[in-house]
Amino acid sequence: MKRIAIMGGNFSGIVVANKLAKRLRWSVAKGDVEIALFDRSPKYLIHAMLPLITFGSMSERYAVGDKAELLDSRIKYFFGKSGEVVNVDLANRTLTLADGSKYSYDYLVIASGADYVPEEVPGLLKDYHTYYTLEGALELRNILQGFNKGTIVELFVEPPIKCPIAPLKFGLMLDDYLRDRGVRGNVDVMLLYPTDHLHAQPEVNKLGKILLEERGVKYIFNFSVSEIRPEEKVVISDKGEKIKYDLLITIPPHRGAKAIRDSGIGDPYGFVPCDRYTLQYRKGKTKYDEVYVIGDATALEVAKAASVAHYQSDVVVENLVHDIAGEGSQVRYKGETICPMLTDLYTQHGRGRAWLPWWDYKVNELTFITTRFGWWFIRAFYLSLPLTMRGLA
Ligand SMILES: Cc1cc2nc3c(=O)[nH]c(=O)nc-3n(C[C@H](O)[C@H](O)[C@H](O)COP(=O)(O)OP(=O)(O)OC[C@H]3O[C@@H](n4cnc5c(N)ncnc54)[C@H](O)[C@@H]3O)c2cc1C
């Protein structure tokens, strides 16, 4: 029997598991293949909805649910201590779980995403508000409902982050939200970026700047934060620049999963190096062809986005089916990326508009048209993500 282990089961892990279960259904039925998914949590979270939840534009009930309900019945799954991987031994093809048990695999899919480490920014935990978690989005929703006057600073600490377009779209929607509440005249909005651009795609960067400037949203580039002083309500850069705030909204630094860092198989940030086309594990001269990496867990230069993971899932699944069943052919990930860009919030006064930039390793010429159709399309896309996770798209 061939055993496929999937480490991490949120968006990427669930999509891969479900697609594999369908493609390899006869092999699973005959007992030739086992598909096992490991995750510390039994609940899924659709992060893409978090900005809309923060602005009260989507209910949180669409964003969370039971993973077991999405998983094909042919998949074995383990949650809690028996699903939490604490060590990955690539040389011996073995996972160690938090309950002390071990799982030996023939093939491994690493889909363990990214962890947040706000504690690495001095002072941040004493004044930490973020829309990058569900709890944070719900807390911010309450705070923003009562915020009438002062300065809101959105701090992007360092790349890479999930959805690199999120700080920009959040800034634009925040402007609309405050206008709709009739308090924008009393509230300054400022974005602090560690980079010299709003987005690595030049067209997104160019148009993002135009939109922010049109709306009077300020932004500062190359802002490398060294410290937060909550008692003074200031953010301090490594050059000594001080930015005052009344409300600080932070996108925390990201790291690869702790188990990846502890096992020493990632890059210095704990993200997992792999071939940019085949997604097979590659670290310097070390190669493990039976190990695939997908989604936010990869150290690839592509965006950490569910759309990326969706494209990558077909590559991982096709190649695993090829490796195991000798069917089909090997396929390559070409860098396909979609970053949904919500430019205007739908409110009593706002129209709701969005744009769907797409690019890959070779093509990066984007034509900018933000439309009302885009807004409804992206909402529908978000709401259909559980179907995508079931492997139906
Ligand atoms: C605010 C925000 C907005 C976004 N907007 C969009 C958008 O509009 N469009 C888009 O495409 N993407 C968007 N994204 C990005 C998208 O949510 C992520 O790319 C996607 O969640 C990646 O899925 P993943 O499964 O690779 O990683 P994750 O969702 O991080 O899941 C990783 C899983 O691994 C598990 N895990 C970790 N360590 C272990 C361990 N040791 N043992 C077992 N399990 C473990 C975790 O519990 C988790 O379930 C957004 C993200 C955020 C935060």
Side-chain angles (χ1 to χ4, degrees):
M1 177 197 271
K2 299 285 183 206
R3 306 208 318 164
I4 308 171
I6 301 173
M7 174 185 174
N10 200 40
F11 184 82
S12 305
I14 292 178
V15 177
V16 166
N18 280 330
K19 287 184 176 173
L20 276 175
K22 288 186 181 67
R23 289 295 306 277
L24 294 172
R25 59 189 176 282
W26 298 117
S27 306
V28 175
K30 282 190 279 172
D32 293 343
V33 170
E34 176 174 280
I35 302 166
L37 179 134
F38 298 88
D39 201 299
R40 53 195 178 191
S41 166
K43 297 274 182 197
Y44 68 80
L45 170 64
I46 300 177
H47 298 80
M49 296 180 187
L50 294 174
L52 293 178
I53 292 170
T54 308
F55 295 119
S57 184
M58 189 171 275
S59 164
E60 61 274 23
R61 76 192 163 94
Y62 298 119
V64 277
D66 289 329
K67 291 175 178 175
E69 283 182 12
L70 296 185
L71 287 166
D72 188 291
S73 59
R74 286 164 277 226
I75 298 161
K76 282 192 171 180
Y77 52 81
F78 303 86
F79 299 133
K81 292 250 177 265
S82 57
E84 182 179 349
V85 177
V86 291
N87 185 266
V88 186
D89 181 349
L90 295 180
N92 292 303
R93 298 186 178 182
T94 304
L95 301 180
T96 304
L97 288 313
D99 65 1
S101 62
K102 292 189 187 284
Y103 186 88
S104 299
Y105 62 80
D106 297 287
Y107 296 92
L108 173 65
V109 178
I110 300 179
S112 46
D115 284 346
Y116 304 144
V117 287
E119 65 277 12
E120 291 197 3
V121 181
L124 177 59
L125 283 183
K126 290 191 216 136
D127 207 353
Y128 181 45
H129 307 287
T130 188
Y131 57 92
Y132 263 60
T133 63
L134 180 61
E135 306 70 42
L138 295 175
E139 188 219 21
L140 265 180
R141 186 170 71 188
N142 281 338
I143 294 175
L144 285 171
Q145 277 165 2
F147 194 91
N148 299 321
K149 201 170 161 217
T151 301
I152 300 180
V153 170
E154 187 188 2
L155 169 67
F156 168 7
V157 175
E158 66 175 25
I161 55 169
K162 287 173 182 283
C163 192
I165 216 166
L168 171 59
K169 66 184 173 189
F170 187 88
L172 292 169
M173 288 194 284
L174 178 59
D175 169 69
D176 277 331
Y177 173 87
L178 295 167
R179 279 179 205 282
D180 190 55
R181 287 197 46 238
V183 297
R184 180 66 173 98
N186 302 325
V187 180
D188 273 337
V189 178
M190 179 179 285
L191 314 185
L192 301 180
Y193 270 72
T195 49
D196 62 0
H197 51 257
L198 295 167
H199 197 276
Q201 286 297 326
E203 189 79 358
V204 178
N205 181 45
K206 191 171 97 195
L207 287 141
K209 280 184 185 170
I210 292 171
L211 291 171
L212 290 177
E213 283 161 20
E214 267 175 13
R215 297 174 193 203
V217 176
K218 297 171 194 145
Y219 55 89
I220 296 181
F221 287 150
N222 298 313
F223 190 95
S224 173
V225 61
S226 69
E227 185 190 347
I228 313 292
R229 288 201 194 138
E231 54 294 340
E232 294 171 44
K233 296 249 173 230
V234 287
V235 185
I236 304 179
S237 78
D238 61 353
K239 295 184 198 112
E241 202 176 351
K242 287 186 177 178
I243 305 290
K244 289 272 303 161
Y245 65 82
D246 295 288
L247 172 61
L248 180 65
I249 300 176
T250 303
I251 293 119
H254 291 30
R255 298 286 178 267
K258 185 169 180 305
I260 299 292
R261 287 177 271 150
D262 291 349
S263 306
I265 61 170
D267 71 5
Y269 290 96
F271 294 108
V272 187
C274 61
D275 183 275
R276 72 201 293 253
Y277 298 110
T278 68
L279 307 177
Q280 284 162 308
Y281 184 91
R282 301 283 182 265
K283 189 177 180 191
K285 291 190 177 150
T286 310
K287 291 169 60 164
Y288 289 101
D289 284 347
E290 71 281 14
V291 179
Y292 288 88
V293 194
I294 180 169
D296 291 2
T298 79
L300 291 178
E301 73 277 26
V302 295
K304 296 196 183 302
S307 62
V308 167
H310 189 203
Y311 280 107
Q312 292 175 338
S313 68
D314 287 329
V315 175
V316 171
V317 169
E318 285 307 313
N319 289 346
L320 273 171
V321 170
H322 177 269
D323 296 348
I324 293 168
E327 291 170 15
S329 57
Q330 283 180 309
V331 292
R332 287 153 70 89
Y333 172 61
K334 296 192 285 297
E336 298 96 326
T337 305
I338 300 174
C339 262
M341 169 64 174
L342 301 147
T343 58
D344 304 63
L345 193 62
Y346 184 83
T347 61
Q348 283 181 15
H349 307 103
R351 297 166 70 82
R353 291 189 306 163
W355 172 46
L356 215 58
W358 181 101
W359 64 89
D360 65 17
Y361 286 144
K362 287 195 181 143
V363 178
N364 63 3
E365 288 164 17
L366 314 163
T367 311
F368 181 81
I369 310 170
T370 182
T371 62
R372 295 189 72 185
F373 171 76
W375 170 265
W376 294 111
F377 179 83
I378 288 176
R379 279 181 71 93
F381 164 72
Y382 287 166
L383 291 168
S384 69
L385 281 172
L387 294 178
T388 308
M389 288 159 84
R390 283 179 197 263
L392 299 177

